[in-house]
Amino acid sequence: MRASAGGLGSPGHSVTTAPRRIDVHQHLVPPLYRDALARAGIVDAGGRALPDWSPAAALELMDLLEIGTAILSVSTPGTGFLTDPAQAADLARRLNDHCAALAAEHPDRFGWFATLPLPDVDAAAEEAERALVELGADGVTLLANNRGAYLGTEGQEALWRVLDEHGAVALVHPAELPGPAVDGVPPFAADFLLDTTRAAYLLVRNGVVRAHPGIRFVLSHGGGFLPYASHRMAVAIAADTGRSPLDVLDDFRGFYFDTALSSSPAALPTLLAFARPGHVLFGSDWPFAPAAAGQYFANGLAEGVDAATLAAVDRANAEALFPRLAGRAPAPAPPRPLPARLRRSAQRAGARLFFKLVQPGAE
């Protein structure tokens, strides 16, 4: 059974015939960032080793997953591992200059979300202004918590004003929880989902999304636990604040959501049933999610929705958020020698077969 958005379209659309996607959740790990992390003794993020990354490898993955354009972002820990505010601000500036140059070299293939030196709110607001106005960033990345300071808590108004003024897209990405990890539970597997959920809860509970309607918040990984637990959380906020639970739910549904690692047969129907039409976007989470995982969840999306919904999630919904991409024809796949094309075709076919074999009830 395929999920649909408003019952439009017909089943049967496959990954290989989908429009060239816009990937709103793809990361980069440039040498300047890897070196800064290494100097601080950081070799992993969320319990996963820092992956290899290069523009060429990114374009190779994008060809495999039929991605036309990727909006790149720096993942956790951002600049928060630097306790000196000046050093954090300098690293954010250098990362954003690097991203701007990369996007200028590949304007049809790469966009970028700016890195902000939170938890220093004033410095973050200043860098957001520079990145959005001077460098042409497509939006900003906001870690759900920055050294324990969650989005939506007091003292962040200066940043919200800047983002609201520019109608910014803000990718809310999880970080490690402000507490010890549990042995045997890598943070990326479960804690990340809670981290995003906490930030979304506070952004709604404390009125940030209502006070700043110009900000388009995109919640990573299908919103964490938000779609599944939205009514439970709405009742809690209503009891706490005196607001109508229906108003709270309306605020929750105002978020955008990406599908990174979240388009499974269990999660995808819940996400599509909860999100407003037009508010679900394609995400891969590469290179922290390896290519095989990207293929698995891309196939989950293609196999789980009708053609109209697939076209919307793959591209049209992102075009509405990033108008500069809407005026362009989807980026064509680069020409490759016949052996490479055959290899890609075999990889996609194998990934589709694997996806079908591991579904519940499969023979």
Side-chain angles (χ1 to χ4, degrees), residues 14 43 70 82 132 135 158-159 168 171 202 205 231 243 255 263 268 308 311 324 337:
S14 69
V43 296
L82 295 170
L132 293 168
L135 300 183
L159 176 59
L171 177 70
L202 291 170
R205 181 204 178 276
H231 287 250
R243 294 179 56 194
F255 288 115
S263 48
L268 184 61
R324 73 176 185 84

Side-chain angles (χ1 to χ4, degrees), residues 11-21 65-66 299 302 307 310-311 314 348 352:
H13 213 285
S14 69
V15 169
T16 56
T17 59
R20 298 285 286 177
R21 295 181 163 110
L65 295 189
E66 304 280 337
N299 283 319
L310 181 61
D314 274 352
R348 294 185 186 115
R352 288 196 298 274

